[in-house]
Amino acid sequence: MLDLLLRSRRAILPEGERPAAIGVRDGRVAAVLPYHAGVPARHTEDLGHDALLPGLVDTHVHVNEPGRTDWEGFATATTAAAKGGVTTIVDMPLNSLPPTVDVAALDAKRAAASGKCAVDVAFWGGAIPGNLAALAPLHEAGVRGFKCFLADSGVPEFPPLPDPEPVMAEIARLGSVLLVHAEDPAHLRPAPDSPRYRDFLASRPDRAEVDAIARVITLAERTGARVHVLHLSSADALPLLAAARARGVAVTAETCPHFLVLDADAVPDGGTEFKCCPPIRSSANRALLWDGLASGVIDCVVSDHSPATASLKLTGSFGTAWGGISSLQLGLPLVWTAARARGFTLSDVVGWMSAAPAALAGLDRGAIAVGAPADLVRFDPTAESSVDPLLLAHRNPVSPYTGRRLTGAVRTTWLSGIPVSGARRGRLLTPARIPT
């Protein structure tokens, strides 16, 4: 007897899309069966023309709690995630206070999250100057890897690493992964106090990303560390990444919905809701990022959900506004709308937004497969809507997507085989070593 049987003519499975019936027992996928299979179950549901996807895994989320919960918190962030079909998030070590740079700070973050989460939550640790000795205890305490900056992070309690090589050597020894905000400070200028987006864009040129990524690749080859390039915005770095991977360097990369959907020419003067670091670039650059996804040089699409209060975000000046875009709830329809127009499939989107991020963080999910958690999403791939910020669940509903027409809508999100509702059933994921 199954607890749940879901029939879908568009089940997105590891081998591709096909009709199937998915059986769930004790919170996990117990069977992947032919669509018409007759199996006793306590509840059976036919999804009609809607697709059945594995829950998305978003490995780049700034929850900010504790310390800056007026920017975002676990209750609001995970509610937004569930509404967007995201069933697992991995929380970044900043901008919480304290940042997750030692075990005491990790304990504080776990305490803050306990009982508040609508979806499952894992944690990254942070690598900053002076905490090299804290990396091994954090690894043993269950963080999925470590994040560092090569340039100013925007918050003083999380300074950049002037020399990441010792950290990479330690991460290689641990069998972990280093996530790098890759911008070279030598090529960055202070953001001008200006309402003009082109002034801000000029302060963070492509060269800053390219040179930083080249340095990261060199150090990864030297130390044997596994590295991951965060929020790639400049397509100029794609040849470097492709060549490094061809040489066997353990380097992966992600990009974000805002880099795949938005472009610099569409950012209005004073439109500081569009500000992020690295910045949104040209439409020609955007097309090359899609080529990077198609070729496999870019592995993941994740949100870089980085909210702040409206007073910090909507200043009208790109010099003073907080840099970050919130898209936890919108990522799937944003990416699907743009992907289908370019001939990509739902299987492609699931690979970028579920399977690859799960692999990055060493999580036992990301696909509809026997034994995996029954984290599932009913998705209507043809529904159309306009983005209304009042319907967004994250704490500060500021969005550059207001009024944008999107295709695709999440109808139901199941966590461990149970529909996500008001209950806070999300788990803080147990420690597990990331495979080398």
Side-chain angles (χ1 to χ4, degrees):
M1 173 68 71
L2 297 169
D3 299 322
L4 174 66
L5 185 68
L6 296 174
R7 302 186 195 278
S8 173
R9 297 189 181 277
R10 299 191 65 181
I12 309 302
L13 304 174
E15 64 271 21
E17 178 181 323
R18 65 174 174 86
I22 309 303
V24 176
R25 184 187 298 115
D26 297 330
R28 292 192 173 263
V29 176
V32 178
L33 304 165
Y35 176 81
H36 290 293
V39 181
R42 293 182 177 87
H43 179 72
T44 298
E45 187 172 349
D46 192 312
L47 307 191
H49 296 290
D50 292 349
L52 184 64
L53 320 181
L56 304 189
V57 178
D58 194 333
T59 51
H60 199 146
V61 179
H62 295 268
V63 177
N64 304 335
E65 186 177 7
R68 291 190 174 101
T69 313
D70 56 332
W71 295 17
E72 187 67 284
F74 285 100
T76 48
T78 59
T79 298
K83 288 180 177 291
V86 177
T87 52
T88 303
I89 66 169
V90 189
D91 173 64
M92 282 293 173
L94 72 163
N95 300 302
S96 56
L97 293 170
T100 316
V101 294
D102 56 36
V103 172
L106 176 63
D107 289 343
K109 184 160 282 191
R110 283 174 163 157
S114 181
K116 296 180 181 176
C117 300
V119 300
D120 289 351
V121 177
F123 302 95
W124 298 115
I128 62 171
N131 86 323
L132 185 64
L135 302 187
L138 277 166
H139 177 73
E140 295 304 321
V143 300
R144 315 306 300 189
F146 299 90
K147 178 180 183 176
C148 75
F149 280 73
L150 301 186
D152 179 32
S153 73
V155 292
E157 66 275 3
F158 204 96
L161 284 177
D163 178 12
E165 186 169 1
V167 166
M168 286 194 184
E170 175 69 351
I171 282 172
R173 185 186 72 82
L174 294 171
S176 189
V177 60
L178 182 66
L179 285 61
V180 185
H181 181 122
E183 289 184 287
D184 186 337
H187 300 297
L188 301 178
R189 301 196 303 273
D193 188 7
S194 167
R196 297 186 302 180
Y197 183 71
R198 63 182 178 271
D199 294 338
F200 169 66
L201 183 58
S203 73
R204 304 187 91 94
D206 295 82
R207 178 75 180 275
E209 282 190 87
V210 173
D211 283 9
I213 290 169
R215 183 184 181 200
V216 167
I217 289 169
T218 297
L219 293 176
E221 286 187 282
R222 185 181 301 165
T223 61
R226 178 178 162 218
V227 295
H228 178 75
V229 175
L230 297 166
H231 44 47
L232 181 69
S233 85
S234 175
D236 287 358
L238 291 173
L240 281 175
L241 290 164
R245 291 168 73 132
R247 296 195 304 273
V249 181
V251 58
T252 52
E254 69 187 37
T255 193
C256 305
H258 39 279
F259 300 134
L260 296 170
V261 172
L262 304 173
D263 68 83
D265 292 338
V267 179
D269 286 349
T272 52
E273 64 271 24
F274 291 83
K275 180 181 176 181
C276 57
C277 300
I280 295 161
R281 304 192 188 274
S282 69
S283 58
N285 178 85
R286 178 182 60 190
L288 291 172
L289 291 178
W290 281 103
D291 290 344
L293 281 167
S295 67
V297 177
I298 301 174
D299 305 83
C300 310
V301 179
V302 293
S303 68
D304 189 10
H305 180 78
S306 184
T309 61
S311 62
L312 289 172
K313 187 66 180 165
L314 302 178
T315 68
S317 166
F318 285 96
T320 60
W322 176 258
I325 291 175
S326 303
S327 62
L328 255 178
Q329 188 170 332
L330 298 173
L332 178 55
L334 282 167
V335 173
W336 172 237
T337 300
R340 72 195 292 264
R342 289 166 171 80
F344 294 104
T345 66
L346 272 176
S347 291
D348 295 323
V349 172
V350 165
W352 302 329
M353 302 186 76
S354 189
L360 169 67
L363 296 167
D364 65 339
R365 55 204 63 205
I368 300 175
V370 173
D375 300 341
L376 303 165
V377 176
R378 179 176 184 168
F379 182 68
D380 182 344
T382 61
E384 295 188 353
S385 63
S386 295
V387 176
D388 180 351
L390 297 179
L391 299 179
L392 300 177
H394 58 264
R395 188 176 299 279
N396 293 284
V398 176
S399 176
Y401 303 111
T402 297
R404 180 175 287 268
R405 293 290 296 174
L406 298 179
T407 301
V410 172
R411 299 303 188 197
T412 309
T413 300
W414 289 269
L415 186 70
S416 298
I418 300 175
V420 177
S421 58
R424 298 289 160 180
R425 298 179 42 259
R427 300 162 295 175
L428 306 185
L429 299 179
T430 54
R433 181 174 289 274
I434 296 174
T436 56

